[in-house]
Every structure is written in C-alpha cells, then in structure tokens.
Amino acid sequence: MGHEVKIGYSFWGFLGPGVTDTPDGGRSHRRPLVDALIACGHELVFLQTDRDRHEAGDELGYDFDSGLPEIDVLFLEWRWPIPGRNTTECGSPGHTCDLHRQTELLNHYADGQGLPTVIWDKDRRLPADAPWRRRPGVTVCEAALSPSPGAASLLFPVADQWLDRAAPEFLARTDRPLTLGYVGNQYDRDDAFDRYFAPAAEHVSHAVVGKWQNTARWPHVTFLGRRGFHDAMALYETALATVLLLPRRYAHAGQMTQRIFEAVLSGCLPLCPAEIRHAECLVPDSLLVRDGTDVIRTLRWLRAEAGSSTHARLLADCANRLEPFRLSRQTEVLNGLLDTLVCAGAAR
C-alpha cells in the first residue's frame, strides 16, 4: 500500500464470539482481517451497530460510528434483502437495520461523494446485473477461486499464527469419538446434505451443530441446534471428519467457506464433494467424495487409520492446501485493491 487510508467498514455480525442465536459465519476470520488492516497502518471505523457490545456485552475497543464520518474508502460486507427481517419498517418487531444502513452508506459515500468503494459479496447475493458491478470507483470482491466476471478474488482469511501452529501429528493422536461432524446452518444446503451427509449418518456416529429448522426428512440425523461459537468449534476437536457442504452458487464458483480451515486446524479431516469447482486444490484425492456411498467408504478407511502416520500426513496435506487463505496473503490482495482504487479516485 502506497499510503494509509481511513476505512469505513460495514458488516452485520460480530468481531468476538458474539451470541448463540445468530447465523454470522465471519467470527473466525473477520477480526484477524480487521487487526491486520490496522497493523498495516490503516484507520478503521465501523459503520453498523456494535453488536458485540449491545448483544453480547463485549467491549472490544474498536471505533463505531452511527453517523457519516469522513473516510477515504468504504468497505462493505454486502447485505441483501431478507423478507421479514431487514425489509420491514424500522422499529417493527424482528427488524434489523443492516440493509437500510447499507443503503444510506452507499447513497452518501459511493453516490454522493464518489468515494472509492469495495463490496465484498461474501454470500454471492449481489445480482449479476447490479449497477455497482459497472460503477467507476467500485470494486466487487468474492470469496471464490473463480469469481464472477469483473469481480476480484478475496478469500476468507485464516490467521497466519493459526496456520503456522498447525500440529498434524498431535492432532492425529487426539481421541476423536465422533466419526462425522458438521458445523453450519441449513441455508441452501439441503441437496448437498441429502447426497453426502444424510446417507453416512445412518452408519456412523455423528452430530450437526447449527440452525436447521426443516429436518423432518432426516429423522435419523442428530441435530444439536445452535451452539456458541467456541462450543461449535469444539465439535471439530472431537470429530474425525466433516463434509464440506456448499450451496450450489458457492460450489460453481469454487467458493469455500471458513469451515475448511476451522475443521483442518482443529484436526477434523474435510471430505470434499468432487463436484465443487477446484475441489482437487482444496483436499487430497483420497478425501474427494462423489456420493453418500463414497463418504461411508472413506469414513471407514479413516477410522481404521485414526492416529496413524497416514492420518497425520492427510492433515498435513490439508493444512498445506490452506496457503491461499493465509491472512497475510489476502491482506496483500486487499491492500493492492485499495491502493488502485484510491489512486484512481485521486486521478478522477
């Protein structure tokens, strides 16, 4: 980065562990990214509600501003309309004001001031024909290995320290009574769950943590409901393996969520559906699966190898494949984008 900038950062979620009743999936990667940007010399001010303080009672020491402060760059974790939640009137029961606030920020900074703007479409919800994709001074990022045309790749980052401390031999020797675990919410994952997880759950010990409301079709599956962030991560520490379940819009773009490094660095081996784009880059061939039968076969093999040198080598291989997600690497990507935007803005 040629110079430091003041970034107005808009996100709807938590920087700390937050509260149990929330679908926010950014808690293992958002704060490391924020701290890395600050370490680069940038000043950050957060432009949505301080949910850590208001909902979780955590005072984390970051700057929040409910107004429209002077900033150099607007950075948005993209929010989209959710009927009955952020599309209702302010103050109505169940209303969240993330979408209204985002609209206010875009109108003031991007439209009104022509301020350099980064839209991180983490959920792949920004329409392909959205005017923001063609607006000068606006860069759209996606957490995908093959982002949409015109978008830049900004992956979910894993902290360098967490990656560097990976200890495959120790993790392989850890007792793992659960054969199959899954951490995550149901959203748009029914087809993948039907194909890969549910068949295996009939044959092995398993558990699912997350918000799964429509589960009648899987009476044999053990759903534990939502758990706090640390409790959810603890599931990985007791599970031998997980299956990386993605919505189709993620799978087609090779957009892997933070679940892969949360699992691997806890010693939980990730089975990856071969239909996911770039799956061969994410896990070794022996962990690619094509259907439920394949999952069952692989789990039986892994259980037989649990604690062995083969187990440790698989974990080491998976950890090495996380290098593209390394925080320092993704920070360089983002700094380069910011530098380009700011310089272009100055030229305009």
Side-chain angles (χ1 to χ4, degrees), residues 12-294:
W12 186 251
F14 298 89
L15 289 162
V19 296
T20 300
D21 189 22
T22 173
D24 179 33
R27 281 168 283 190
S28 64
H29 66 261
R30 182 180 293 118
R31 192 172 184 181
L33 177 61
V34 163
D35 289 344
L37 291 172
I38 293 172
C40 289
H42 305 307
E43 181 181 353
L44 268 71
V45 57
F46 296 106
L47 302 175
Q48 294 271 3
T49 299
D50 185 353
R51 298 181 67 193
D52 290 280
R53 180 165 64 90
H54 294 299
E55 297 180 40
D58 293 330
E59 296 280 355
L60 301 180
Y62 296 95
D63 293 330
F64 283 78
D65 195 317
S66 60
L68 298 167
E70 291 293 322
I71 58 176
D72 300 310
V73 176
L74 177 63
F75 185 96
L76 303 165
E77 292 186 17
W78 185 252
R79 302 301 300 164
W80 63 96
I82 303 174
R85 187 187 302 174
N86 60 12
T87 59
T88 55
E89 292 185 9
C90 296
S92 60
H95 175 77
T96 62
C97 220
D98 52 301
L99 188 61
H100 291 170
R101 176 61 167 164
Q102 178 175 271
T103 300
E104 179 184 33
L105 296 172
L106 286 168
N107 287 342
H108 179 77
Y109 292 116
D111 268 343
Q113 298 183 1
L115 204 71
T117 299
V118 177
I119 294 174
W120 196 11
D121 186 19
K122 298 170 69 174
D123 291 273
R124 302 188 63 78
R125 295 288 189 178
L126 185 67
D129 60 352
W132 296 114
R133 292 188 182 275
R134 300 180 297 278
R135 180 73 63 85
V138 175
T139 292
V140 174
C141 297
E142 297 172 356
L145 295 172
S146 293
S148 303
S153 178
L154 180 64
L155 304 181
F156 298 124
V158 55
D160 289 34
Q161 298 92 327
W162 195 10
L163 198 53
D164 293 340
R165 288 198 305 263
E169 295 81 5
F170 170 78
L171 292 170
R173 292 195 300 269
T174 302
D175 183 37
R176 298 183 180 274
L178 200 65
T179 297
L180 181 62
Y182 184 76
V183 176
N185 298 319
Q186 186 168 10
Y187 309 133
D188 302 319
R189 287 173 170 84
D190 284 19
D191 290 344
F193 194 85
D194 256 338
R195 183 171 181 181
Y196 297 103
F197 193 99
E202 293 192 80
H203 299 273
V204 301
S205 58
H206 67 276
V208 177
V209 165
K211 183 180 180 181
W212 290 72
Q213 294 179 304
N214 304 310
T215 60
R217 62 203 277 189
W218 307 299
H220 64 287
V221 175
T222 301
F223 293 97
L224 301 180
R226 278 180 166 166
R227 293 289 188 272
F229 175 69
H230 294 302
D231 290 339
M233 293 304 98
L235 182 73
Y236 287 133
E237 297 175 358
T238 62
L240 178 65
T242 187
V243 183
L244 301 171
L245 305 178
L246 297 181
R248 290 183 182 228
R249 66 183 186 277
Y250 288 14
H252 290 166
Q255 176 162 319
M256 182 50 62
T257 72
Q258 69 282 357
R259 301 305 179 196
I260 189 170
F261 54 77
E262 291 174 352
V264 170
L265 299 178
S266 299
C268 181
L269 287 164
L271 308 189
C272 186
E275 64 185 342
I276 294 174
R277 193 171 185 179
H278 305 297
E280 70 284 354
C281 300
L282 299 169
V283 301
D285 289 346
S286 56
L287 299 183
L288 292 174
V289 291
R290 290 163 179 79
D291 53 32
T293 300
D294 220 7

